[in-house]
Amino acid sequence: SPLIFVLYSFGNLLGVLYSVPPFRWKNNPVLAALSISCARGFLLNFGVYHATMAALGLPFHWSPPITFLAVFMMVFATVIALSKDLPDIEGDRKFKVNTFASRMGPTALSNFVTSLLFADYIFAAVFALASPAGAMRSSVMIAGHAVLAAVLLFERQRLDPDDVGSIKEFYKGIWRLFYSEYALFLCL
């Protein structure tokens, strides 16, 4: 479909702007975060859903579950974009690479991304409660996100911001939560 081509082209454009000189958006923390959250959060989820519907010959419509996934994962992708440089703060500072992690430091940034992701989990519960009856399994959505929020808080509590190994584990924990979201989505 023409829309799939446009989405694919836009994703490729974001990749070029992110990586290729003279643009190299990855060198600007704001532009890097925006491009990552757009590509991984919105384009990936909306695009795959739209392509699947088109391949099956079904009309596209914004259902509550796909609306939730697109919005929720945009915020989650922002968390990933902001925290991706946590494991390399020392190198970024040494070579004067301007990132949110090198500006804020591991404690402030990990507190910020934890708060942002926790707010996203609260959004999930509110979305479940506000959705039309039968649109999704609200009890599964609320309970699942409460468990994921508890895991997030546990991961943050374990973090030693002065230990690179601990910072790497925290970042890996964010990715485990990210992929857990897709497993939970299958249950909705």
Side-chain angles (χ1 to χ4, degrees), residues 40-109:
R40 184 169 286 281
F42 179 75
L43 287 176
L44 177 68
N45 295 293
F46 171 74
V48 168
Y49 176 72
H50 186 278
T52 302
M53 298 300 280
L56 295 172
L58 299 172
F60 174 82
H61 69 282
W62 281 103
S63 65
I66 199 64
T67 301
F68 164 75
L69 188 65
V71 173
F72 183 89
M73 292 311 252
M74 277 193 70
V75 174
F76 208 132
T78 302
V79 167
I80 289 171
L82 294 174
S83 61
K84 72 179 178 56
D85 297 311
L86 273 170
D88 195 31
I89 290 176
E90 290 178 28
D92 288 344
R93 286 180 175 161
K94 180 179 177 183
F95 294 104
K96 297 185 181 1
V97 177
N98 186 20
T99 66
F100 284 112
S102 64
R103 279 187 195 174
M104 297 175 70
T107 301
L109 185 58

Side-chain angles (χ1 to χ4, degrees), residues 21-180:
F23 310 107
R24 296 198 44 99
W25 283 9
K26 69 181 185 176
N27 292 334
N28 179 310
V30 174
L31 293 175
L34 288 172
S35 61
I36 291 169
S37 64
C38 184
R40 184 169 286 281
F42 179 75
L43 287 176
L44 177 68
N45 295 293
F46 171 74
V48 168
Y49 176 72
H50 186 278
T52 302
M53 298 300 280
L56 295 172
L58 299 172
F60 174 82
H61 69 282
W62 281 103
S63 65
I66 199 64
T67 301
F68 164 75
L69 188 65
V71 173
F72 183 89
M73 292 311 252
M74 277 193 70
V75 174
F76 208 132
T78 302
V79 167
I80 289 171
L82 294 174
S83 61
K84 72 179 178 56
D85 297 311
L86 273 170
D88 195 31
I89 290 176
E90 290 178 28
D92 288 344
R93 286 180 175 161
K94 180 179 177 183
F95 294 104
K96 297 185 181 1
V97 177
N98 186 20
T99 66
F100 284 112
S102 64
R103 279 187 195 174
M104 297 175 70
T107 301
L109 185 58
S110 61
N111 286 341
F112 179 73
V113 297
T114 298
S115 298
L116 185 58
L117 187 50
F118 192 81
D120 209 16
Y121 288 136
I122 292 170
F123 163 74
V126 171
F127 190 94
L129 293 171
S131 292
M136 59 182 53
R137 294 176 17 193
S138 296
S139 60
V140 172
M141 188 155 163
I142 293 168
H145 286 98
V147 168
L148 294 176
V151 170
L152 169 67
L153 295 177
F154 174 75
E155 292 284 348
R156 175 58 190 94
Q157 191 244 348
R158 284 186 340 156
L159 173 65
D160 176 356
D162 297 320
D163 177 38
V164 175
S166 179
I167 291 170
K168 288 179 180 179
E169 279 304 309
F170 176 75
Y171 183 61
K172 284 191 236 177
I174 290 173
W175 276 103
R176 285 189 292 270
L177 290 167
F178 181 81
Y179 289 114
S180 297

Side-chain angles (χ1 to χ4, degrees), residues 137 140 180-188:
R137 294 176 17 193
V140 172
S180 297
E181 187 62 39
Y182 286 110
L184 178 58
F185 184 74
L186 295 174
C187 300
L188 301 179

